Amino acid sequence: MSDRAKFIAGLPKAELHLHLEGSLEPELMFALARRNKVEIPFKSVEEIRAAYRFSNLQDFLDIYYQGANVLRTEQDFFDLTDAYLKRVAADGARHVEVFFDPQTHTARGIPFAVVADGILRALSEGVARYGVTSKLILCFLRHLSEEDALATLIAAEPYLDRLAGVGLDSSERGHPPSKFRNVFEAARERGLLLVAHAGEEGPPEYIHEALDILGIDRLDHGNRALEDAALVRRLAHEKMTLTVCPLSNLKLCVVTDLKQHPLKRMLDLGLRATVNSDDPAYFGGYLNDNYNAVAEALDLSHDDLVTLAKNSFLGSFLSEADKAKHIAAIDAYAGRAQS
Ligand code: HPA
Ligand code: ZN
């Protein structure tokens, strides 16, 4: 292991952009297909992995929604979430804020409660089991209507005290944030925090809409902000956190080569960028794989890595006291690593 990889491995960090359905490893997909007697169009784990070649976001989403079809019971959602927590804890994660897509499941007749109960039980047990705290974010699928999103928010009412916020994911192009103005307002009125995917494939205008119309507290991806200098200045001034996903960007052809990845430029421009894995089972890497790949490609220094790890806590929805505690742990670790 290189010095940099060792430094990354021990660095306390948070993950802020992770779709639980995107952490479904082919092995678990197979096991759940068998357990639930669900047919899947693959004969082996190798065949599944070989199918994971994407040329854009939609290519990926088609196979990602198909994969989620094996998730049926409360125990399935528990197992999915527990496996992710165990894996990310091994990467030095101390806190995670994870997305789930209830509409992917309710559309198949799985009750909202089955999904939420399994996930929440694993998140709750994850604190003692793995030393990882967590928050849960409900994502609306943007290719569906705003009415469907509103119905999902209503279905979530009994769980509002266990949800940190709502987000917006799925096919970005043609589905601007403004389409979800009312449901985001309703979520805010219910005390939820707001995030949205914007500027992954969509234009900078979608980022403006996410800020001005939805009133987001955090921006997921945001890569294409760099095409708009005034927007970059605004995001830096407002200390908006960007949840950047390097290996996802590579696999979905948002960048052609990690050497061209904008992460370092974002830091140099004063943006509060973070590193995340998005859908690790599909994009070939968990949290530290993302740190390692982008650090190698962009020759990131220990200082850059410390900034990224600190940003992951500063941009989290933890209390100020908890943020301070994690930042102090990073400073202590970086100090020890130097001496
Ligand atoms: N973008 C949009 N929707 C998603 C993604 C993503 O990277 N992953 C899972 N749903
Ligand atoms: Zn995402």
Side-chain angles (χ1 to χ4, degrees):
M1 212 192 259
S2 69
D3 271 357
R4 184 156 51 201
K6 271 188 221 144
F7 184 72
I8 288 168
L11 192 56
K13 52 184 88 70
E15 176 148 61
L16 305 180
H17 187 150
L18 180 285
H19 302 263
L20 283 172
E21 294 89 344
S23 71
L24 176 61
E25 288 289 342
E27 288 79 6
L28 184 58
M29 193 189 294
F30 246 92
L32 295 184
R34 214 170 302 128
R35 183 156 99 189
N36 295 326
K37 301 185 174 41
V38 176
E39 293 277 344
I40 55 170
F42 304 107
K43 285 200 260 323
S44 66
V45 163
E46 293 69 37
E47 207 177 288
I48 300 182
R49 286 199 204 281
Y52 293 175
R53 275 191 279 121
F54 318 110
S55 48
N56 55 42
L57 174 59
Q58 193 60 49
D59 260 8
F60 154 70
L61 290 170
D62 292 343
I63 203 157
Y64 161 82
Y65 294 130
Q66 184 187 64
N69 192 35
V70 302
L71 297 161
R72 297 287 165 105
T73 67
E74 194 260 8
Q75 188 64 40
D76 297 343
F77 288 95
F78 175 91
D79 290 345
L80 173 75
T81 306
D82 182 72
Y84 163 66
L85 291 174
K86 183 176 185 181
R87 180 64 187 79
V88 81
D91 279 2
R94 306 287 175 86
H95 177 71
V96 299
E97 302 191 352
V98 296
F99 302 130
F100 74 123
D101 289 340
Q103 289 156 296
T104 299
H105 314 298
T106 53
R108 300 181 288 119
I110 316 289
F112 185 96
V114 166
V115 180
D117 288 346
I119 293 172
L120 286 164
R121 183 162 64 87
L123 293 179
S124 160
E125 291 184 14
V127 182
R129 263 186 208 218
Y130 308 116
V132 177
T133 59
S134 56
K135 292 187 184 285
L136 183 59
I137 298 171
L138 183 168
C139 275
F140 301 119
L141 298 182
R142 69 202 304 159
H143 67 276
L144 300 177
S145 68
E146 188 179 47
E147 288 69 43
D148 209 308
L150 276 162
T152 304
L153 184 62
I154 301 299
E157 294 247 298
Y159 291 86
L160 290 186
D161 58 337
R162 285 159 284 171
L163 293 176
V166 298
L168 191 61
D169 66 2
S170 190
S171 322
E172 187 179 8
R173 285 200 172 110
H175 302 285
S178 52
K179 180 177 162 187
F180 295 92
R181 176 197 306 256
N182 297 305
V183 72
F184 269 65
E185 195 176 316
R188 184 186 308 106
E189 282 167 4
R190 285 162 174 75
L192 294 166
L193 293 164
L194 310 175
V195 303
H197 284 53
E200 180 185 19
E201 286 189 344
E205 180 54 33
Y206 283 18
I207 302 174
H208 283 284
E209 286 193 11
L211 295 169
D212 294 330
I213 298 178
L214 303 186
I216 54 167
D217 298 291
R218 191 162 74 207
L219 173 60
D220 296 316
H221 294 297
N223 298 42
R224 291 192 61 188
L226 296 189
E227 296 168 28
D228 180 337
L231 177 57
V232 168
R233 283 194 295 276
R234 176 183 177 183
L235 291 167
H237 180 73
E238 294 180 3
K239 297 188 166 59
M240 179 60 64
T241 299
L242 278 67
T243 64
V244 181
C245 306
L247 290 174
S248 165
N249 293 158
L250 184 65
K251 292 296 157 90
L252 299 186
C253 307
V254 168
V255 297
T256 50
D257 183 332
L258 276 186
K259 287 196 175 355
Q260 257 89 59
H261 194 279
L263 183 70
K264 175 72 175 150
R265 240 179 315 143
M266 289 171 166
L267 293 179
D268 292 344
L269 287 163
L271 292 171
R272 187 187 276 174
T274 61
V275 170
N276 307 274
S277 70
D278 208 0
D279 301 282
Y282 291 89
F283 300 147
Y286 283 80
L287 191 51
N288 286 356
D289 299 317
N290 276 272
Y291 271 88
N292 281 315
V294 79
E296 186 68 28
L298 303 178
D299 195 26
L300 300 183
S301 65
H302 280 207
D303 282 353
D304 293 327
L305 294 166
V306 164
T307 298
L308 288 165
K310 286 187 177 178
N311 286 351
S312 74
F313 291 107
L314 291 171
S316 75
F317 295 145
L318 287 167
S319 69
E320 293 306 315
D322 283 338
K323 288 182 192 181
K325 185 188 74 183
H326 288 295
I327 302 278
I330 293 173
D331 281 330
Y333 173 77
R336 279 198 306 277
Q338 211 149 39
S339 60

